């Protein structure tokens, strides 16, 4: 299923609950996370929720991207995909696709009540500004048989965002990338992966 970029290897090795993935355009954030999620479904017992704060239709947004991942990794034949989910036919592990705010209203309560979710993935995290909604959904990811993960993907420039304040501003760590100082997270429960086009490629 291809090689793994060394900068994204912590996705596979970290035992921390929270994984913050930041970077600009063409830094392979979503691509690398989707690769990881597909590989994760080949292990039994995983339920993965991929969400964006606002989503009119998963069928027109996330699912086409996910299908491209399956094709790139050469495993499309092992999955059954509907308008709301994808199931690994070998293991039964599944991926759900849902927005927090949809055309039918606020889905926070529905997302909180989902059973068997081991991994929550928030794409386009800069748009997810409802801190209380995130905390409610976060608390529902509490399975006892598998490692629980919250993967948050966002552009790192949104310094007023609650995730930036909670994980980076409160636990700052400075690194130098291409001659520029970047603030990253030193939070004990957060694995922060920051990359750029040059590093990811």
């Amino acid at each position: 299923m291809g090689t793994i970029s060394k900068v994204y290897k912590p996705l596979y090795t970290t035992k921390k609950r929270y994984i913050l993935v930041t970077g600009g355009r063409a830094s392979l954030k979503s691509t690398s996370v989707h690769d990881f999620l597909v590989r994760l479904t080949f292990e039994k017992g995983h339920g993965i929720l991929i969400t964006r704060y606002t989503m009119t239709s998963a069928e027109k947004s996330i699912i086409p991207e996910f299908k491209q991942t399956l094709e790139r990794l050469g495993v499309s034949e092992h999955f059954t995909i509907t308008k709301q989910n994808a199931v690994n036919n070998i293991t039964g592990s599944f991926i759900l696709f849902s927005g927090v705010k949809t055309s039918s209203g606020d889905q926070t309560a529905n997302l909180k009540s989902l059973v068997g979710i081991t991994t929550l993935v928030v794409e386009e995290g800069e748009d997810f500004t409802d801190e209380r909604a995130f905390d409610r959904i976060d608390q529902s990811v509490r399975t006892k048989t598998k490692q629980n993960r919250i993967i948050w993907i966002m552009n790192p420039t949104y310094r007023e965002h609650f995730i930036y304040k909670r994980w980076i501003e409160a636990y700052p760590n400075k690194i130098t990338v291409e001659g520029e100082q970047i603030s990253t997270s030193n939070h004990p429960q957060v694995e922060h992966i920051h990359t750029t086009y040059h590093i990811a490629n």
Side-chain angles (χ1 to χ4, degrees):
M1 286 196 288
T3 59
I4 302 167
S5 169
K6 65 178 182 180
V7 74
Y8 286 106
K9 283 187 177 177
L11 280 170
Y12 299 80
T13 59
T14 186
K15 298 302 181 183
K16 296 180 180 180
R17 176 178 176 84
Y18 300 101
I19 304 172
L20 176 61
V21 182
T22 60
R25 280 190 167 189
S27 59
L28 303 181
K29 299 188 301 297
S30 291
T31 298
S32 298
V33 170
H34 284 189
D35 284 2
F36 167 68
L37 298 176
V38 169
R39 290 181 170 98
L40 190 61
T41 66
F42 281 90
E43 181 181 316
K44 289 184 179 181
H46 283 286
I48 299 162
L49 170 61
I50 301 179
T51 188
R52 292 174 180 171
Y53 189 68
T54 302
M55 186 191 304
T56 54
S57 170
E59 190 177 14
K60 295 179 180 179
S61 55
I62 293 180
I63 292 178
E65 296 175 14
F66 185 74
K67 286 181 176 179
Q68 289 176 3
T69 301
L70 297 181
E71 292 170 5
R72 185 176 65 254
L73 297 178
V75 295
S76 299
E77 68 212 50
H78 301 308
F79 287 80
T80 298
I81 301 177
T82 70
K83 293 181 179 180
Q84 288 84 30
N85 63 30
V87 178
N88 186 313
N89 298 323
I90 296 174
T91 64
S93 289
F94 61 89
I95 298 177
L96 299 178
F97 309 98
S98 179
V100 179
K101 297 286 186 180
T102 69
S103 57
S104 59
D106 190 327
Q107 302 297 308
T108 303
N110 293 336
L111 297 180
K112 182 182 176 182
S113 64
L114 292 172
V115 176
I117 298 298
T118 61
T119 300
L120 167 67
V121 181
V122 178
E123 293 198 337
E124 300 178 356
E126 58 270 16
D127 295 334
F128 197 140
T129 57
D130 190 334
E131 187 170 3
R132 292 181 64 187
F134 167 65
D135 286 339
R136 288 195 294 271
I137 299 171
D138 178 15
Q139 291 166 10
S140 69
V141 183
R142 298 287 177 187
T143 59
K144 296 181 179 179
T145 57
K146 293 292 180 182
Q147 179 180 345
N148 296 154
R149 299 174 179 89
I150 310 296
I151 303 175
W152 189 285
I153 307 169
M154 71 181 294
N155 187 307
T157 61
Y158 288 76
R159 297 181 179 178
E160 296 305 312
H161 197 283
F162 72 88
I163 287 293
Y164 187 95
K165 290 182 175 297
R166 182 186 290 191
W167 290 348
I168 298 178
E169 189 175 281
Y171 296 87
N173 180 53
K174 297 288 186 179
I175 63 172
T176 301
V177 179
E178 298 168 22
E180 181 182 355
Q181 272 213 329
I182 303 292
S183 294
T184 60
S185 176
N186 198 31
H187 192 294
Q189 294 182 357
V190 176
E191 183 74 44
H192 188 173
I193 300 171
H194 177 79
T195 188
T196 67
Y197 169 81
H198 298 285
I199 295 175
N201 294 271

